[in-house]
RNA sequence: GGCCUGGUGGCAGAGUGGUCAUGCAGCGGCCUGCAAAGCCGUGAACGCCGGUUCGAUUCCGACCCAGGCCUCCA
């Protein structure tokens, strides 16, 4: 089985072959830490995290970097408003980012480069671009000269002419050409800045990713991932800077772009204000259901974020964990990932198909009567779940989810369930039903089994 | 306006030139004191119009609709 990835560069699925057989390199554009991120920001980390796990299974070594951009005008603005150094802002939100991603089951990358730790590399890259004629200094700025890179626009499929013709933004007077973008810009005394050949200043938006990729991986990386909204201008500019700084060597060989999360059919975005912060969503829903929701559509498709979607994911997990609960007595060790799940993932990360395969395995497992067969299927279910970052908790923990912090006390629920059981055994069904109804009103569903009663937190 | 996606059953969402996606919800049955869970069975789809083909939801073209990027954005 081999991995196929849809490459934004060619707009086609391509077999993935790493540049060096012994090492795969992958870079995901991480957050600019000026605020809490929203649930849409988690889609890339979740699906590309699944890709990272997949690559680790199929190649001897993966080095996966996800950056933190910790210098930026929005950070500066927040720092000025709160009268604190930018580090106070960036430390706080970088920590929150890690915490929220962790809650969603996103693995930490191997490397987490910070832009402010790469200022010398950024300056060096600017100098090289100036020396080679691809950039120029003007009024304390360093600008990339788009016209020196004829392939500019290749990734996002747009021509320089069209962009210049359609330019709506006022062009700064120091730009030679309207499409030129800033690599370095001057800082006023109240803004953070670093000494440079062009005076005290700070990096522009795109250069940090180029510099960090180079620092971590060298001139050419295998896979570069990010949201489709970053394709232009961010990724296009990264390509231009890196290729020109490296004498024409390719920058990223495979570009992967994830689709946007929508709210009522519109992109969830900070500028539109139609966002759900991750901590808000986590407060109201099981994290694993949110993770499942983020992979419920193929990563390149847009995904409508609704309460109904989350509820459906909770029910889906109820069923999968229900299967595992039924198989609780079957002992299994670590197993191989079922072929149906793995082949779906190898086909451009087709998570919906992988989930369908998982559902099929669960159904087979419930029907199987032979213990050896049940063990095999349970092992496959757990291994397939692990590949997706799902199904790794104790089923009992899933069904009792949120009782401790949701104002419900598991021991008290147990006591009520026992009361009902006693009433039942006394054939006082009216009382038993009254207790069950009361618990249902608290969101607890009681189920009777041959082994005695059990309960779970109901899907909303 | 330019460039680019996509329109699949009640909902979500894969996929395919000619037999099944899958999940949730629904319906009938089994089980249950009654339920729930589970099991068995079951209906239901490919935006619109042409074309290619023995045959198209799948390929081609036009049209309609929705969304994204062109400005900070995952």
């Amino acid at each position: 089985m081999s991995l196929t990835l849809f490459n934004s560069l060619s707009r086609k699925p391509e077999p993935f072959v790493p540049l060096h057989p012994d090492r795969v390199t992958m870079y995901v554009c991480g957050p600019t830490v000026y605020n809490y991120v929203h649930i849409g920001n988690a889609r890339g980390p979740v699906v590309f995290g699944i890709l990272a796990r997949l690559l680790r299974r199929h190649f001897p070594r993966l080095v996966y970097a996800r950056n933190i951009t910790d210098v930026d005008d929005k950070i500066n603005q927040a720092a000025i408003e709160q009268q604190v150094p930018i580090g106070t802002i960036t430390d706080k939100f970088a920590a929150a980012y890690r915490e929220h991603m962790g809650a969603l089951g996103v693995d930490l990358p191997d490397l987490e480069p910070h832009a402010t730790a790469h200022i010398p590399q950024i300056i060096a890259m600017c100098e090289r671009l100036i020396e080679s004629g691809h950039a120029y200094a003007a009024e304390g700025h360093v600008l990339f000269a788009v016209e020196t890179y004829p392939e500019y626009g290749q990734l996002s499929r747009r021509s320089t002419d069209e962009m210049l013709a359609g330019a709506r933004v006022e062009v700064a007077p120091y730009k030679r050409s309207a499409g030129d973008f800033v690599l370095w810009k001057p800082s006023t005394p109240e803004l953070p800045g670093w000494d440079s050949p062009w005076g005290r200043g700070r990096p522009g938006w795109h250069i940090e990713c180029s510099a960090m990729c180079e620092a971590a991986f060298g001139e050419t990386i295998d896979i570069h991932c990010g949201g489709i909204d970053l394709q232009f201008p961010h990724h296009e500019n990264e390509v231009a800077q890196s290729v020109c700084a490296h004498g024409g060597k390719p920058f990223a060989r495979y570009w992967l772009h994830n689709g946007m999360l929508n709210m009522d059919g519109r992109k969830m975005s900070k500028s539109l204000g139609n966002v759900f912060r991750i901590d808000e969503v986590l407060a109201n829903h099981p994290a694993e259901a949110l993770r499942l929701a983020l992979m419920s559509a193929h990563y390149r498709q847009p995904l409508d974020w609704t309460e109904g979607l989350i509820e459906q994911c909770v029910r889906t997990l109820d069923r999968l964990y229900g299967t595992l609960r039924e198989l609780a007595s079957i002992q299994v060790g670590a197993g191989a990932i079922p072929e149906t799940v793995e082949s779906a993932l190898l086909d451009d990360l087709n998570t919906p198909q992988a989930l369908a395969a998982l559902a099929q395995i669960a159904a087979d497992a419930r029907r199987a009567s032979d213990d050896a067969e049940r063990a095999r299927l349970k092992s496959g279910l757990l291994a397939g779940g692990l590949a997706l970052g799902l199904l790794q908790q104790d089923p009992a923990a899933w069904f009792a989810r949120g009782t401790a912090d949701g104002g419900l006390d598991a021991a008290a629920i147990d006591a009520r369930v026992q009361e009902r059981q006693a009433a039942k055994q006394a054939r006082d069904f009216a009382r038993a039903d009254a207790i069950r109804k009361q618990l249902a009103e608290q969101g607890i569903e009681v189920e009777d089994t041959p082994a005695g009663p059990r309960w779970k937190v109901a899907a909303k």
Side-chain angles (χ1 to χ4, degrees):
Chain A
M1 288 193 288
S2 62
L3 172 61
T4 299
L5 295 174
F6 185 93
N7 192 346
S8 297
L9 214 47
S10 62
R11 302 274 154 100
K12 287 190 188 106
E14 295 178 10
F16 174 72
V17 181
L19 188 59
H20 303 291
D22 55 331
R23 188 184 76 151
V24 175
T25 54
M26 169 169 151
Y27 183 93
V28 172
C29 276
T32 300
V33 283
Y34 67 93
N35 201 340
Y36 292 106
V37 294
H38 59 76
I39 188 72
N41 293 296
R43 192 177 187 190
V46 165
V47 297
F48 298 130
I50 293 171
L51 175 62
R53 287 190 184 186
L54 182 68
L55 289 166
R56 288 189 208 285
R57 290 198 292 279
H58 290 267
F59 295 92
R61 185 169 171 231
L62 168 74
V63 188
Y64 164 30
R66 191 183 64 207
N67 72 289
I68 297 281
T69 293
D70 57 355
V71 53
D72 160 89
D73 285 350
K74 284 184 176 148
I75 296 171
N76 295 340
Q77 195 187 329
I80 288 168
E81 279 166 13
Q82 296 170 40
Q83 301 191 314
V84 294
I86 61 167
T88 306
I89 304 286
T90 58
D91 286 352
K92 175 180 171 186
F93 293 115
Y97 182 77
R98 284 183 209 105
E99 184 193 329
H100 295 156
M101 290 303 133
L104 292 172
V106 175
D107 299 329
L108 283 173
D110 301 302
L111 305 171
E112 194 184 59
H114 285 56
T116 52
H118 290 78
I119 300 296
Q121 290 90 335
I122 289 171
I123 291 172
M125 188 173 269
C126 289
E127 288 180 309
R128 259 182 289 150
L129 287 167
I130 291 174
E131 281 161 24
S132 59
H134 291 291
Y136 55 95
E139 298 181 25
H141 294 71
V142 178
L143 292 122
F144 185 88
V146 166
E147 285 167 357
T148 67
Y149 182 57
E151 283 76 35
Y152 189 76
Q154 197 179 39
L155 175 65
S156 57
R157 296 286 157 97
R158 57 193 79 203
S159 75
T160 329
D161 293 346
E162 280 163 12
M163 281 182 289
L164 298 187
R168 302 186 258 115
V169 185
E170 205 175 318
V171 179
Y174 46 79
K175 285 190 181 181
R176 284 187 196 163
S177 174
D180 293 354
F181 56 91
V182 172
L183 303 176
W184 186 265
K185 53 189 170 187
S187 287
T188 52
E190 67 274 16
L191 290 174
W194 291 262
D195 290 329
S196 81
W198 317 283
R200 185 172 171 279
R202 58 211 151 96
W205 175 32
H206 318 291
I207 189 78
E208 85 282 7
C209 281
S210 287
M212 287 188 278
C213 276
E214 181 191 68
F217 300 128
E219 294 178 326
T220 300
I221 64 171
D222 285 311
I223 305 174
H224 193 128
C225 311
I228 186 66
D229 55 346
L230 292 183
Q231 192 175 53
F232 187 90
H234 185 58
H235 292 159
E236 195 69 58
N237 291 357
E238 279 185 56
V239 172
Q241 292 155 357
S242 294
V243 170
C244 292
H246 299 143
K249 297 213 181 74
F251 173 45
R253 302 171 60 241
Y254 297 83
W255 282 91
L256 270 53
H257 288 105
N258 65 275
M260 298 291 101
L261 230 60
N262 289 166
M263 287 273 288
D264 302 319
R266 271 243 138 50
K267 174 187 172 185
M268 186 185 286
S269 88
K270 288 170 191 161
S271 48
L272 290 176
N274 57 345
V275 300
F276 280 125
R277 263 168 52 178
I278 292 180
D279 52 340
E280 295 168 345
V281 191
L282 280 169
N284 295 311
H285 303 284
E288 193 168 349
L290 303 177
R291 180 175 172 88
L292 174 58
L294 290 170
M295 66 177 82
S296 65
H298 183 89
Y299 77 91
R300 282 191 279 110
Q301 298 304 122
L303 173 62
D304 248 315
W305 191 257
T306 63
E307 286 295 311
L309 171 69
I310 303 169
E311 184 184 321
Q312 193 167 299
C313 289
V314 169
R315 291 179 191 275
T316 299
L317 286 170
D318 272 348
R319 182 146 172 103
L320 293 172
Y321 273 117
T323 302
L324 289 172
R325 180 170 59 184
E326 268 183 48
L327 301 176
S329 61
I330 309 278
Q331 298 298 313
V332 295
I337 292 167
E339 195 272 337
T340 49
V341 174
E342 192 73 334
S343 61
L345 293 177
L346 285 166
D347 180 14
D348 194 32
L349 233 49
N350 193 335
T351 49
Q353 196 164 74
L355 291 167
L358 222 48
Q360 192 62 57
I361 293 164
D364 291 345
R366 282 191 302 270
R367 287 176 203 134
S369 50
D370 175 61
D371 268 4
E373 181 69 354
R374 281 153 59 102
R376 187 182 69 79
L377 291 164
K378 178 181 179 181
S379 163
L381 192 54
L382 289 170
L386 182 61
L388 295 168
L390 301 172
L391 304 182
Q392 301 306 301
Q393 44 178 324
D394 183 336
W398 164 260
F399 286 111
R401 61 189 177 269
T403 43
D405 48 62
L408 295 168
D409 174 4
I413 294 167
D414 285 336
R416 292 294 280 163
V417 169
Q418 282 316 312
E419 269 183 64
R420 171 174 171 275
Q421 187 65 1
K424 252 184 69 174
Q425 271 155 4
R427 301 202 62 83
D428 183 357
F429 295 121
R431 180 164 152 70
D433 289 350
I435 294 172
R436 183 168 66 192
K437 189 169 174 229
Q438 215 174 56
L439 286 167
E441 280 160 7
Q442 295 174 55
I444 302 298
E445 279 175 16
V446 184
E447 299 166 4
D448 291 324
T449 77
R454 69 184 180 205
W455 57 270
K456 71 171 182 186
V457 176
K460 286 180 193 164

